Amino acid sequence: MENTPFGVLLWDANMKLIYCSKEAAAKFACTPDDLLYKPINLLQFVHEEDAPAVAALITEIASGRKNHNESLNRNLTKEGAVIYCQWYNSALRDDQGKVVNILSLFQDVTAQVDTQLALKKSQQRLSLAFNSAIDPMWLIRVEGPNAFRFETINHAFTKVTGWTPEQVEGQPIEKIMPESSHELVRRKYNEALTTGKIIDYVEEAQHPSGIKYGEIRVIPIRGESGEPMRILGIANDITEKVHLQKKLDAEHEIRSRQITSAAIKGQESERSKVSRELHDNVNQVLTTVKLYVELCIDQKIDADAILPKCAAYLDNTINEIRHLSKQLSAPSLGSMNFRETLTELIDSLRASTQIDVALEFTKLHFSEMEGELHLTIYRVAQEQITNIIKYAKADRVHISLKENSSLLYFTITDDGIGFDLSQKRQGIGITNMQSRVEILNGHFQIITSPGNGTRLEVEIPVIIEGDVCYAEQTVLNMPSA
């Protein structure tokens, strides 16, 4: 019995140890003489938590109720160290069937138990991390070509999709994922298995909780010792982000249509204005001149008196047409910069009205302005000056253009009669000004009230490169070189 790897103990009917192999004594860090023929205190060699169960097993064998039993319990060495032992106990009987001896074979399995406990703890930690993750996670067992089955899911998976573990675990993916996703999911899973790499993709899927959008990551896990391969799936739920983006896209589309509509209305308004001017002024004058010329030809009136009047009428008509042309044409950066165009606009206001106008340029770190930005400032100024002449009854107007912290500030302030912004319907002119500013990602505001004048404020993000000021939005939209 000394050649066996087991420790061997032989007890008499009174549970006194009458044989102890060297292997058995060594496992308890003592010699056989330390144990033989001496009273044994169970708590001396058995962990106190396991002692009641061990005592019951001893009684079971010693009483003859069982011939064999076995147990795994914690034992104590002579120094008090804890070891795990697997015990196999057998009753030895005489010819009358009476138990005369008990044979115990045991093996130190501490290393195996420690490994199992470490593995169990590791699995518990993994399970805790798996189920504590805020992102949905799932484990897929690979059962063959295009054969994938859910092995487990975490709590977040249930929370996001509405699927419970009872519904999902053990099911093939086709029973859980919508049919529209089958081909995509199989292709991505096979790509991960074939390449051994992490694969990312975006998926839209219908679940019990509704349509969900997810950024999916699948990680191949190679099996060991003949175990099948597995795939770990992780999803970042981007449903809210997708819905928000769709909402923003829809709002952008609506805004684009509004801007287009405003631009078309503005064009129609300008055409109507030109039509009225041509009909009411130019056409009437030309008709009068034509009538005078015909009368002169027929010698029905004094040509010397009438022809100078016709020339004067024609001069006025030429000036009227020139004025209409200037209103319709955009300023040319090739010939005039923003200072010149605004100054010319102010000069025309001073020449045609009694309004006191002040134009101020403050802290401008540039001398030229990019075309679209220049045109926006010019058109806003042109429209607001027209509004002031028509409606404001103002005595003084202050126009300011300044730049600070990558923002261009443009204001037009008058001391006129003002108006109730909540009561007055916003006309096409104001809509056009606002649309032009917002196209450049700017902010447009009118501040007014009855009797307190009107202040127009424009803020546009800008970028200054060299000596030229660009609208930031224009630079961002420029194609890459």
Side-chain angles (χ1 to χ4, degrees):
M1 288 191 291
E2 292 294 342
N3 295 326
T4 177
F6 286 89
V8 181
L9 300 174
L10 185 63
W11 314 81
D12 63 16
N14 296 318
M15 293 306 297
K16 183 179 291 186
L17 192 61
I18 59 175
Y19 176 77
C20 176
S21 68
K22 292 180 180 179
E23 180 69 20
K27 292 184 186 299
F28 289 103
C30 60
T31 65
D33 291 338
D34 293 331
L35 304 173
L36 291 173
Y37 306 108
K38 294 180 179 178
I40 300 295
N41 180 0
L42 194 62
L43 293 177
Q44 183 181 354
F45 293 99
V46 179
H47 193 282
E48 61 179 352
E49 293 180 0
D50 296 347
V54 172
L57 290 171
I58 293 173
T59 301
E60 190 177 61
I61 287 287
S63 65
R65 292 199 305 271
K66 279 193 174 182
N67 289 326
H68 306 283
N69 62 25
E70 61 182 76
S71 68
L72 173 64
N73 55 263
R74 289 166 289 181
N75 292 100
L76 303 175
T77 66
K78 186 177 181 180
E79 289 83 11
V82 177
I83 59 174
Y84 286 86
C85 294
Q86 181 71 49
W87 290 83
Y88 304 92
N89 303 306
S90 301
L92 305 180
R93 301 176 183 267
D94 58 15
D95 294 341
Q96 286 76 37
K98 182 180 179 181
V99 176
V100 293
N101 294 105
I102 297 174
L103 178 64
S104 296
L105 304 179
F106 70 96
Q107 188 173 23
D108 183 358
V109 294
T110 303
Q112 296 93 314
V113 170
D114 286 344
T115 300
Q116 291 175 353
L117 290 175
L119 179 60
K120 184 177 180 181
K121 288 182 180 179
S122 176
Q123 291 173 336
Q124 289 174 339
R125 287 194 296 269
L126 180 60
S127 176
L128 180 62
F130 185 74
N131 283 303
S132 298
I134 60 174
D135 289 329
M137 300 176 69
W138 60 97
L139 192 64
I140 296 292
R141 185 168 64 251
V142 181
E143 297 185 335
N146 287 324
F148 306 103
R149 189 178 298 273
F150 280 98
E151 191 164 291
T152 186
I153 61 175
N154 70 348
H155 298 324
F157 187 100
T158 298
K159 182 178 180 181
V160 171
T161 67
W163 290 106
T164 66
E166 293 76 18
Q167 293 172 310
V168 175
E169 292 173 355
Q171 296 295 332
I173 62 171
E174 290 78 7
K175 283 195 175 183
I176 304 302
M177 296 180 176
E179 186 174 355
S180 59
S181 298
H182 290 177
E183 191 278 332
L184 171 66
V185 172
R186 290 195 200 100
R187 178 158 48 85
K188 294 300 181 180
Y189 283 8
N190 284 323
E191 183 180 352
L193 293 173
T194 302
T195 63
K197 296 180 179 179
I198 295 173
I199 303 298
D200 296 323
Y201 63 97
V202 176
E203 180 186 356
E204 174 188 354
Q206 176 72 51
H207 294 293
S209 61
I211 296 177
K212 298 294 180 180
Y213 298 86
E215 293 175 337
I216 311 299
R217 169 164 290 188
V218 290
I219 305 170
I221 303 174
R222 298 198 174 276
E224 298 180 359
S225 304
E227 292 183 0
M229 290 193 67
R230 286 172 171 78
I231 293 174
L232 176 64
I234 306 173
N236 176 26
D237 182 14
I238 59 171
T239 304
E240 185 175 346
K241 177 181 176 182
V242 170
H243 287 164
L244 179 59
Q245 186 60 52
K246 287 184 176 181
K247 182 179 178 181
L248 291 175
D249 290 344
E251 291 175 351
H252 178 73
E253 177 65 22
I254 292 172
R255 187 61 186 157
S256 295
R257 291 177 182 177
Q258 290 174 336
I259 291 173
T260 301
S261 176
I264 293 172
K265 289 179 180 178
Q267 291 173 355
E268 293 300 321
S269 177
E270 289 293 337
R271 289 171 181 171
S272 297
K273 179 180 177 181
V274 171
S275 176
R276 287 194 303 271
E277 293 291 340
L278 290 174
H279 179 272
D280 296 343
N281 296 330
V282 177
N283 186 56
Q284 297 295 333
V285 172
L286 292 178
T287 300
T288 300
V289 171
K290 179 176 178 293
L291 178 61
Y292 281 160
V293 171
E294 289 175 348
L295 291 173
C296 288
I297 292 173
D298 293 338
Q299 297 181 350
K300 293 181 179 180
I301 58 175
D302 184 0
D304 292 337
I306 295 301
L307 289 179
K309 289 184 178 181
C310 291
Y313 288 150
L314 290 174
D315 282 339
N316 289 335
T317 301
I318 291 170
N319 289 333
E320 184 70 24
I321 292 173
R322 184 180 292 119
H323 177 68
L324 286 174
S325 176
K326 181 171 287 187
Q327 282 193 315
L328 291 173
S329 65
S332 171
L333 286 177
S335 58
M336 301 176 71
N337 67 25
F338 67 95
R339 293 176 183 266
E340 293 170 330
T341 54
L342 289 177
T343 300
E344 184 182 82
L345 199 60
I346 299 312
D347 289 342
S348 66
L349 175 61
R350 289 169 176 158
S352 59
T353 70
Q354 298 300 314
I355 299 175
D356 180 16
V357 187
L359 177 61
E360 179 184 9
F361 299 104
T362 307
K363 296 180 180 179
L364 299 182
H365 303 96
F366 55 89
S367 60
E368 299 292 340
M369 193 179 290
E370 175 269 333
E372 187 175 4
L373 178 61
H374 185 174
L375 181 58
T376 296
I377 297 297
Y378 181 84
R379 287 303 191 200
V380 168
Q382 187 181 50
E383 180 64 34
Q384 186 62 7
I385 287 173
T386 299
N387 290 338
I388 292 172
I389 293 173
K390 286 184 176 180
Y391 310 115
K393 299 180 181 179
D395 295 322
R396 288 181 293 276
V397 173
H398 183 266
I399 300 175
S400 171
L401 183 68
K402 65 179 181 179
E403 180 263 327
N404 186 35
S405 301
S406 299
L407 280 175
L408 187 67
Y409 297 92
F410 183 56
T411 62
I412 302 177
T413 307
D414 69 68
D415 64 352
I417 61 175
F419 59 93
D420 188 343
L421 198 59
S422 64
Q423 296 297 323
K424 183 177 176 63
R425 183 178 179 183
Q426 186 163 300
I428 188 66
I430 294 178
T431 301
N432 281 343
M433 289 190 290
Q434 183 172 358
S435 297
R436 287 182 181 276
V437 172
E438 290 182 353
I439 285 175
L440 298 182
N441 199 29
H443 174 72
F444 177 90
Q445 183 179 19
I446 289 181
I447 303 170
T448 185
S449 62
N452 293 309
T454 301
R455 179 178 175 86
L456 178 147
E457 296 182 348
V458 171
E459 296 179 12
I460 299 176
V462 295
I463 295 175
I464 298 175
E465 294 186 359
D467 204 30
V468 181
C469 181
Y470 297 84
E472 183 182 74
Q473 188 67 24
T474 301
V475 175
L476 295 177
N477 290 335
M478 287 181 178
S480 301

